Amino acid sequence: MKIIDGRQISDAKRAQIKELTAKIKSETGKTPGLATILVGEDPASKVYIGSKIKACENAAIKSFHFALAANASKDEILSLIKSLNSNAEADGILLQLPLPDNSFAQECINAISPLKDVDGLHPFNAGLLNLSKNWDELIEKNALLSCTPAGIIHLLKASSIAIEGKTAVVIGRSNLVGKPISMMLLANNATVIMAHSKTKNLKELSKSADILIAAAGKPRFINKEYIKNGAAVIDVGINRVGGKLCGDVDFDDVKDMDISITPVPGGVGPMTITMLLENTLKAFKNRDRSA
Ligand code: NAD
């Protein structure tokens, strides 16, 4: 088993981002900025937002935090987003999800200017990904790509795992992970199979994968019966079992296999925040260009 060390790959990328921020500052006199919005007091969301703010600090990106009460109305959230859309210091806007009332989350995301949508979840940016001819075009367009899937592509490339022509099986079809990672793998010329809770022959399909993306949010349900030797396995799941974090892959069961795998924690997680920082710099450049 070869571990794909998400922390190490992420640290190297963050060091580059920090250098780029300094270059932007010295060339333009401006510092890229990220506005973060947290609604309510959910402990996990507070930890995630805290890590994002800290990562900004370490990369010399300015951050502005807005905390709204758990019972904040949709209109209050929309009005904050609207004011941040026209705030010149906020290049990116991040709305921490889920909201206490998640029924209007998409409406709030839709209100974020697509140019500031650093989570890449606005229909404009999701559409840009779906309409892209290939990965190079997305890079050329400086597209704001959804952070977790973009982080997975970075992990694969940084680990010299070939994507083109490979069979990739994605387990999960959420708008946050499953769908965008499928489109990103496709943009990189993989043959992509999207599996989900209604898929009948999951074991057989997932065993055909050269690249297996496990994003179902089901603790340790992927064991060696689902994986072929030689595969690259990206475990996106973050599950808490008995007070400890684990992924969707049964790590102990697969540890003697000849595979590359991301651990949980320390795999995909750190890359997600790194891509948020990268998107903030992209948003800065895109706005600078469009100004
Ligand atoms: P989700 O609940 O929105 O989607 C889960 C998907 O898995 C659904 O499309 C469903 O059809 C599929 N699924 C569920 N059970 C299945 C089964 N038995 N077989 C096949 N498919 C099945 O979740 P999400 O937001 O996509 O997140 C997935 C996991 O990834 C969660 O554990 C989440 O915490 C984690 N996550 C991690 C990061 C990170 O940064 N590491 C980021 C986002 C999500």
Side-chain angles (χ1 to χ4, degrees), residues 2 52 85 128 139 153 183 261 289:
K2 181 176 170 285
K52 289 168 186 176
N85 280 342
L128 203 58
I139 300 300
I153 297 293
M183 296 313 295
I261 186 167
R289 245 192 259 161

Side-chain angles (χ1 to χ4, degrees), residues 48 147-149 152 170-179 195-199 202 214-219 221-222 226 235-239 246-248 264 267-273:
Y48 286 136
C147 298
T148 300
I152 293 172
V170 177
I171 305 179
R173 57 171 161 185
S174 69
N175 290 337
L176 190 61
V177 186
K179 280 186 205 158
H196 46 79
S197 54
K198 302 282 188 282
T199 297
L202 186 61
K218 300 272 169 242
F221 93 110
I222 301 288
Y226 289 76
D235 191 353
V236 188
I238 300 181
N239 310 292
C246 72
D248 284 1
V264 177
V268 174
M271 277 314 299
T272 297
I273 297 184

Side-chain angles (χ1 to χ4, degrees), residues 117-143:
D117 168 42
V118 281
D119 249 346
L121 297 175
H122 189 285
F124 177 88
N125 290 312
L128 203 58
L129 169 62
N130 286 7
L131 296 177
S132 69
K133 279 196 220 82
N134 54 42
W135 189 250
D136 288 348
E137 188 185 81
L138 287 164
I139 300 300
E140 252 164 52
K141 285 193 171 153
N142 225 16

Side-chain angles (χ1 to χ4, degrees), residues 37-50 65-72 77 95-101:
I37 306 173
L38 176 64
V39 185
E41 301 279 333
D42 176 65
S45 294
K46 274 182 148 175
V47 171
Y48 286 136
I49 278 278
H65 184 57
F66 298 85
L68 298 183
N71 62 357
I77 303 171
L95 176 64
Q96 185 67 38
L97 301 173
L99 299 177
D101 177 352

Side-chain angles (χ1 to χ4, degrees), residues 40-120:
E41 301 279 333
D42 176 65
S45 294
K46 274 182 148 175
V47 171
Y48 286 136
I49 278 278
S51 309
K52 289 168 186 176
I53 293 171
K54 183 108 192 68
C56 282
E57 250 172 52
N58 291 340
I61 291 172
K62 246 190 244 168
S63 69
F64 316 86
H65 184 57
F66 298 85
L68 298 183
N71 62 357
S73 67
K74 181 174 82 180
D75 285 346
E76 277 175 75
I77 303 171
L78 289 175
S79 126
L80 173 58
I81 290 172
K82 210 169 153 202
S83 76
L84 290 171
N85 280 342
S86 51
N87 179 334
E89 285 203 282
D91 296 290
I93 301 172
L94 175 116
L95 176 64
Q96 185 67 38
L97 301 173
L99 299 177
D101 177 352
N102 213 40
S103 63
F104 48 76
Q106 190 60 48
E107 202 179 328
C108 293
I109 291 165
N110 295 357
I112 296 173
S113 159
L115 289 173
K116 297 191 175 195
D117 168 42
V118 281
D119 249 346

